[in-house]
Amino acid sequence: MHSTTPARVVVLLSGGGSTLAALLRAHAEPDSPFQIVAAIADVDAPGLDHARRAGVPTAVVRLRDHPDRAAWDAQLASTVGGFDPALVVLAGFMRLVGPAMLEAFGGRMINTHPALLPSFPGAHGVRDALAHGVKVTGASVIEVDAGVDTGRILAQRAVEVLDDDTEASLHERIKQIEQPMLVDVVRHLTSPTPPAEGDPL
């Protein structure tokens, strides 16, 4: 058990929450250096149920409830900030964050992407990899910046593309390596003695 208080982590999501569930399992381990203190969605995401079952606070910040994206982004930053996180994890969060989030949490916000960046950025990384006929794709964990999947790469793992793969089958295999990789990165970033700059995660 760490003598220090676990680092506070807020998770943002939009969907089923399988990645949030993986993080919650990790945070429940006795030696976990981090604690999920909130799960926040941009829609009424079914994945929030994982947090509710674990007794973790949830919130929904809907884009449609705000006059524009800037107002939504400011409210999202305010809601996330209310939980005082050391790290913000985008786990299947399907909206781009804006200047308010980047100003508040820049350098402390990470995201996963189902491709080996810088190849195949954007919303259809798995489909694009298949369309290009690549034999190897994978998953990346990046630091969030103002671009679309352009942030500093923190970790990557590869997945072989099979001849009979569909977008769904390939994405499922990518998730199987993406989730443990993200947990590993969150552990490293929240450990009392994180890796030095330039050290491999």
Side-chain angles (χ1 to χ4, degrees):
M1 196 72 150
H2 289 297
S3 57
T4 54
T5 304
R8 298 171 64 84
V9 175
V10 168
V11 178
L12 305 185
L13 70 153
S14 298
S18 59
T19 302
L20 169 63
L23 288 163
L24 285 166
R25 286 192 296 272
H27 109 140
E29 294 170 4
D31 65 340
S32 176
F34 68 90
Q35 176 185 10
I36 308 296
V37 295
I40 299 172
D42 61 316
V43 292
D44 293 309
L48 291 173
D49 287 340
H50 293 293
R52 294 181 184 118
R53 284 194 293 270
V56 170
T58 64
V60 180
V61 183
R62 298 176 188 83
L63 181 60
R64 69 167 188 256
D65 292 344
H66 297 83
D68 54 33
R69 286 191 71 93
W72 169 79
D73 187 59
Q75 181 58 56
L76 183 63
S78 174
T79 302
V80 173
F83 294 99
D84 192 26
L87 183 69
V88 179
V89 179
L90 279 58
F93 191 64
M94 300 310 293
R95 295 196 189 276
L96 293 175
V97 298
M101 281 291 291
L102 288 165
E103 183 177 339
F105 307 108
R108 308 187 275 142
M109 188 161 42
I110 63 174
N111 190 20
T112 63
H113 181 73
L116 294 175
L117 294 169
S119 298
F120 312 121
H124 305 293
V126 180
R127 184 188 309 172
D128 293 345
L130 276 174
H132 279 75
V134 297
K135 298 302 182 189
V136 176
T137 185
S140 306
V141 178
I142 61 170
E143 189 177 295
V144 176
D145 66 7
V148 178
D149 300 321
T150 55
R152 183 168 68 99
I153 295 169
L154 302 177
Q156 291 185 314
R157 290 184 188 170
V159 170
E160 183 181 0
V161 180
L162 305 179
D163 291 342
D164 60 350
D165 261 329
T166 62
E167 183 178 357
S169 67
L170 180 55
H171 202 174
E172 191 54 43
R173 289 208 320 286
I174 289 172
K175 282 182 183 178
Q176 289 170 12
I177 60 108
E178 183 179 49
Q179 290 169 3
M181 175 175 62
L182 176 62
V183 169
D184 286 349
V185 171
V186 173
R187 278 184 170 279
H188 278 289
L189 293 177
T190 57
S191 289
T193 52
E197 184 70 30
D199 282 359
L201 288 173

